[in-house]
Amino acid sequence: MHILTQNLRMGRGNLLGFGIGLAALSLVSVLFLPSIQESGQELQRLINSMPKGMLAAFGVSEEVDLFTPEGFLQGRLFALMVPLLLIIQGVGIGSATIAGEEERGQLEVVAAHPVGRTRLFLEKLGVLVVALLFSSLLLFLSVWLGLQVVGVSLPLSHQLAAVSGSFLLGLLFGGLALALGAWNGRRAAALGLASLTAVVTYLWNALAPLNKDLADSQKFSPFYLATGYEPLRNGFDWAYTAILLGITLLVLALGLLRFRQRDIGV
């Protein structure tokens, strides 16, 4: 666990700053809920006047009532903003932990010690998981606190389901960046390909329902698996959660397999 703890200690400032910033942003957003509900009719007319494609690009669909607590949190936080921020964190860490260190010549020094490739990969994965869990915990606490302040009651399990979906998206794309970096040792390639995949799958989830021929394919998007079933209203969907986690584990397994076989720094 030395590699894990050393990496966390060196990055604790960024970890704290990101987590606190995400929590503060989420708390402020929740505190706007009463004023949004009071202005419901005017805002609804504005929303109705906007093109469906524009609304879909921001994660707003006809099925989501933005003036209920569940719909507001889904549209304001969990459709785009929170997943995006956790994906940014995950991809940034995932691309830096192996590929970034390899490009700087630091990974060869670590690998020269009696540390197996599997252990090295898993401890770098541990850095990603701990960072995302810390941010997700602060996010959960900020949403819960905000709802308490505005006097709105939502089941804790539903709040946890929404936060967990965003965490799993961060883990999927962060894990993809980690696996790509472990595959070829190129940070820019890992960062770029993981980010591009996140953007494409988000647009797929947002825009596919606008075309009746593509609507059914939306359910194959990771974003739908994480948030499309409206966890704030329906709670956990364990089947979707298991599929998303399974995809993540497959990506990581492929990255580990390649990392164990290739030369470092070549």
Side-chain angles (χ1 to χ4, degrees):
M1 301 293 286
H2 172 69
I3 298 171
L4 171 62
T5 55
Q6 183 182 43
N7 277 254
L8 290 174
R9 184 169 60 251
M10 292 175 61
R12 63 184 180 275
N14 291 333
L15 180 60
L16 284 170
F18 188 92
I20 292 172
L22 175 61
L25 183 61
S26 302
L27 177 60
V28 171
S29 296
V30 176
L31 295 179
F32 272 101
L33 176 57
S35 61
I36 294 295
Q37 290 178 317
E38 290 174 3
S39 307
Q41 293 183 350
E42 294 82 357
L43 289 174
Q44 187 63 62
R45 284 195 293 269
L46 175 63
I47 291 172
N48 291 339
S49 68
M50 299 174 68
K52 290 183 180 180
M54 180 183 296
L55 294 174
F58 288 96
V60 179
S61 66
E62 294 178 345
E63 291 77 17
V64 177
D65 184 354
L66 294 176
F67 305 106
T68 64
E70 298 91 339
F72 172 79
L73 292 176
Q74 175 71 13
R76 184 74 177 88
L77 292 177
F78 293 104
L80 176 60
M81 186 178 76
V82 166
L84 174 64
L85 291 174
L86 288 178
I87 288 170
I88 289 173
Q89 182 184 32
V91 170
I93 294 173
S95 62
T97 50
I98 289 181
E101 291 186 8
E102 185 171 358
E103 288 185 341
R104 295 192 298 270
Q106 298 173 341
L107 197 64
E108 294 176 71
V109 177
V110 176
H113 292 78
V115 178
R117 293 286 184 93
T118 300
R119 177 185 167 187
L120 177 59
F121 183 91
L122 292 178
E123 292 206 37
K124 295 297 186 180
L125 173 60
V127 176
L128 172 64
V129 172
V130 170
L132 289 171
L133 279 175
F134 179 74
S135 297
S136 298
L137 175 61
L138 292 185
L139 168 65
F140 176 78
L141 293 175
S142 68
V143 171
W144 174 83
L145 177 61
L147 291 174
Q148 298 303 306
V149 171
V150 300
V152 173
S153 177
L154 284 179
L156 282 177
S157 62
H158 292 197
Q159 297 176 50
L160 183 60
V163 172
S164 297
S166 297
F167 163 79
L168 287 174
L169 284 173
L171 182 60
L172 170 61
F173 293 107
L176 177 59
L178 176 66
L180 290 169
W183 188 275
N184 61 16
R186 301 292 181 266
R187 183 176 184 272
L191 181 65
L193 287 173
S195 300
L196 178 62
T197 305
V199 171
V200 170
T201 54
Y202 174 77
L203 293 176
W204 174 17
N205 177 68
L207 301 179
L210 301 179
N211 186 316
K212 63 180 181 179
D213 296 326
L214 299 176
D216 291 340
S217 71
Q218 179 195 27
K219 295 184 179 180
F220 295 98
S221 167
F223 284 86
Y224 185 88
L225 296 173
T227 64
Y229 61 91
E230 295 185 50
L232 284 164
R233 186 171 67 179
N234 301 314
F236 279 100
D237 188 307
W238 294 109
Y240 285 159
T241 300
I243 292 171
L244 191 58
L245 187 58
I247 295 171
T248 303
L249 292 175
L250 176 60
V251 167
L252 290 169
L254 292 173
L256 173 59
L257 181 64
R258 171 62 177 164
F259 186 59
R260 293 179 60 180
Q261 295 174 344
R262 73 174 178 87
D263 295 327
I264 293 179
V266 177

